[in-house]
């Protein structure tokens, strides 16, 4: 997978970027954030790590991340069609190869009719038994080579 691109997917950071999260994101080719960033400073910090595509979550409407961040993002990267929304029900899965959502703070990766649907969980405030997580894709030439959840361990603020 030498020439594969690494996409790190995060959601629901809620103004808290742990050192474990920042360490995991180092070296990403692209970061996707599925909303509830809730910090303009964190937005700027993430942009310094790698190019980022993001959407607004239900707690982001008082923040200004620029005109490129809205409720739904659709784009092509490495030959794959991506759709990103904070809410699962807003994803146009039939029009995407990879669909990303957040909001539930619970990590899950599943295939829905040929569309890979990813909720990376929460990198800061997880719900359920699992701790903080992100998702990681390796992609190349229109193909998802791997899709995994990455455990961040216990958050240290």
């Amino acid at each position: 997978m030498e020439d594969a691109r690494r996409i790190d997917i995060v959601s629901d950071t809620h103004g808290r970027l742990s050192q474990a999260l920042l360490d995991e994101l180092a070296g990403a080719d692209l970061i996707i954030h599925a909303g509830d960033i809730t910090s303009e400073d964190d937005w700027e910090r993430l942009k310094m790590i790698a190019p980022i595509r993001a959407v607004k979550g239900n707690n982001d409407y008082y923040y200004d991340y620029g005109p490129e961040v809205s409720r739904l993002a659709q784009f092509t990267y490495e030959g794959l069609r991506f759709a990103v929304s904070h809410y699962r029900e807003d994803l146009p899965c039939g029009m995407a190869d990879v669909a990303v959502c957040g909001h539930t703070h619970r990590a899950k990766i599943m295939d829905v009719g040929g569309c890979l649907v990813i909720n990376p969980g929460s990198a800061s405030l997880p719900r359920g038994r699992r701790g903080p997580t992100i998702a990681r894709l390796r992609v190349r030439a229109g193909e998802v080579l791997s899709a995994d959840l990455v455990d961040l361990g216990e958050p240290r603020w």
Side-chain angles (χ1 to χ4, degrees):
M1 286 198 281
E2 290 176 20
D3 58 344
R5 298 281 184 218
R6 189 180 105 201
I7 303 170
D8 285 348
I9 303 171
V10 300
S11 188
D12 297 282
T13 49
H14 289 278
R16 298 178 175 178
L17 301 180
S18 69
Q19 191 57 52
L21 171 61
L22 296 172
D23 290 346
E24 281 296 334
L25 294 176
D29 294 299
L30 177 68
I31 297 170
I32 296 174
H33 199 300
D36 280 355
I37 304 164
T38 71
S39 167
E40 292 166 2
D41 289 339
D42 286 358
W43 171 246
E44 293 301 320
R45 192 167 187 190
L46 291 171
K47 287 186 348 185
M48 290 189 298
I49 296 170
I52 184 168
R53 300 300 297 255
V55 294
K56 287 187 175 186
N58 56 299
N59 292 295
D60 284 321
Y61 284 94
Y62 299 105
Y63 299 93
D64 182 10
Y65 308 119
E68 70 274 12
V69 180
S70 61
R71 185 177 171 146
L72 176 67
Q74 293 180 283
F75 59 94
T76 301
Y77 183 79
E78 288 296 307
L80 291 164
R81 296 170 300 157
F82 284 81
V84 184
S85 176
H86 191 60
Y87 300 103
R88 164 75 175 86
E89 56 269 19
D90 290 342
L91 290 173
C93 292
M95 300 172 61
D97 301 305
V98 179
V100 176
C101 61
H103 187 61
T104 65
H105 295 226
R106 295 176 190 269
K108 190 170 189 174
I109 298 174
M110 61 188 164
D111 185 282
V112 177
C115 177
L116 186 63
V117 178
I118 300 172
N119 184 327
S122 174
S124 303
L125 301 168
R127 294 182 184 141
R129 294 183 180 168
R130 191 170 199 153
T133 54
I134 66 170
R136 177 167 290 152
L137 295 179
R138 298 222 184 247
V139 302
R140 178 181 54 216
E143 182 181 4
V144 175
L145 303 175
S146 64
D148 300 295
L149 295 173
V150 177
D151 291 303
L152 299 175
E154 291 304 311
R156 287 170 271 141
W157 314 111

